[in-house]
């Protein structure tokens, strides 16, 4: 028996993110019995990042919706859990078809749900996606065409090229911040 109804969760969480002008990147549940965690990753479409305020605001919106559902006896999660809202980060997971197009040209790691042609893991330059087929070129320059639905996990690899392509959020005002306890 599943503890989490992901279709129901996505139907609850996606509108909350969209109402804030955010794009939902991933909803995941992990941690097992010891530390059950509902992880929500979202981003601003223009910056591909989130501010701390965005995380806090989205967390409050999701908590309020889930609390209301729990009070109504319609909680989509059957166990006590921790909510974690974050930006996907620079070495982000690739979860949507658009991610494979947007990050073409960067190094990625892809793991399949099952072995394909004797392999389950592929590392190399992400070529992109055409329809439902993701293409990655391995270190030897061999291109592998992988069905999108066969992918278990995919993420970008932290490289100098990726760092250069990722625009940092504004640090305006950071110099004016004081350490707590200083005068």
């Amino acid at each position: 028996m599943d503890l989490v109804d992901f279709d129901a969760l996505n139907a609850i969480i996606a509108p909350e993110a969209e109402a804030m002008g955010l794009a939902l990147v991933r909803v995941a549940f992990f941690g097992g019995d010891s530390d059950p965690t509902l992880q929500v990753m979202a981003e601003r479409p223009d910056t591909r990042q989130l501010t701390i305020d965005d995380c806090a605001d989205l967390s409050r919106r999701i908590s309020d919706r889930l609390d209301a559902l729990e009070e109504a006896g319609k909680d989509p999660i059957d166990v006590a859990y921790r909510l974690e809202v974050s930006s996907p980060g620079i070495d982000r997971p690739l979860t949507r078809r658009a991610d494979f197009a947007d990050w073409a040209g960067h190094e990625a790691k892809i793991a399949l749900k099952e072995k394909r042609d004797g392999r389950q893991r592929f590392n190399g330059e992400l070529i992109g996606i055409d329809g439902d087929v993701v293409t990655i070129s391995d270190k030897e320059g061999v291109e592998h065409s992988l069905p999108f639905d066969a992918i278990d996990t995919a993420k970008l690899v932290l490289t100098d090229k990726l760092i250069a392509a990722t625009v940092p959020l504004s640090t305006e005002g950071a110099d004016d911040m004081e350490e707590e306890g200083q005068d």
Side-chain angles (χ1 to χ4, degrees):
M1 180 169 119
D2 288 333
L3 300 175
V4 181
D5 180 344
F6 282 105
D7 290 336
L9 273 178
N10 279 309
I12 293 162
I13 295 170
E16 296 302 325
E18 289 163 10
M20 292 178 58
L22 305 176
L24 194 58
V25 174
R26 176 170 78 181
V27 175
F29 197 81
F30 58 86
D33 293 337
S34 61
D35 185 25
T37 302
L38 171 61
Q39 180 191 65
V40 176
M41 286 186 180
E43 65 186 6
R44 289 212 166 274
D46 55 340
T47 63
R48 309 295 304 245
Q49 300 174 44
L50 280 188
T51 65
I52 292 172
D53 288 341
D54 290 334
C55 289
D57 292 346
L58 182 56
S59 180
R60 269 191 295 279
R61 289 182 74 110
I62 293 168
S63 290
D64 289 349
R65 280 291 313 275
L66 292 173
D67 289 349
L69 287 168
E70 183 180 15
E71 287 174 22
K74 298 178 181 176
D75 196 343
I77 303 173
D78 293 340
V79 296
Y81 60 92
R82 182 170 50 93
L83 174 62
E84 175 186 292
V85 176
S86 68
S87 167
I90 193 168
D91 53 347
R92 63 186 299 121
L94 304 169
T95 60
R96 304 164 294 182
R97 284 171 174 78
D99 294 336
F100 291 94
D102 293 349
W103 297 100
H106 290 280
E107 194 172 331
K109 290 183 178 182
I110 298 175
L112 302 179
K113 295 173 186 167
E114 297 177 359
K115 282 188 178 181
R116 182 177 177 84
D117 300 326
R119 291 182 64 180
Q120 197 163 1
R121 301 191 183 290
F122 299 83
N123 298 343
E125 182 182 336
L126 186 60
I127 304 301
I129 186 168
D130 185 9
D132 284 334
V133 178
V134 173
T135 303
I136 188 168
S137 177
D138 66 22
K139 304 287 186 209
E140 290 78 39
V142 177
E143 289 190 7
H144 302 273
S145 298
L146 310 171
F148 178 81
D149 291 339
I151 295 173
D152 184 34
T153 61
K155 68 177 270 181
L156 292 178
V157 175
L158 188 60
T159 63
D160 290 340
K161 181 180 179 181
L162 181 60
I163 292 168
T166 305
V167 179
L169 292 174
S170 170
T171 57
E172 184 178 327
D175 292 338
D176 301 330
M177 294 179 69
E178 293 183 18
E179 292 291 325
E180 203 172 308
Q182 291 185 345
D183 352 272

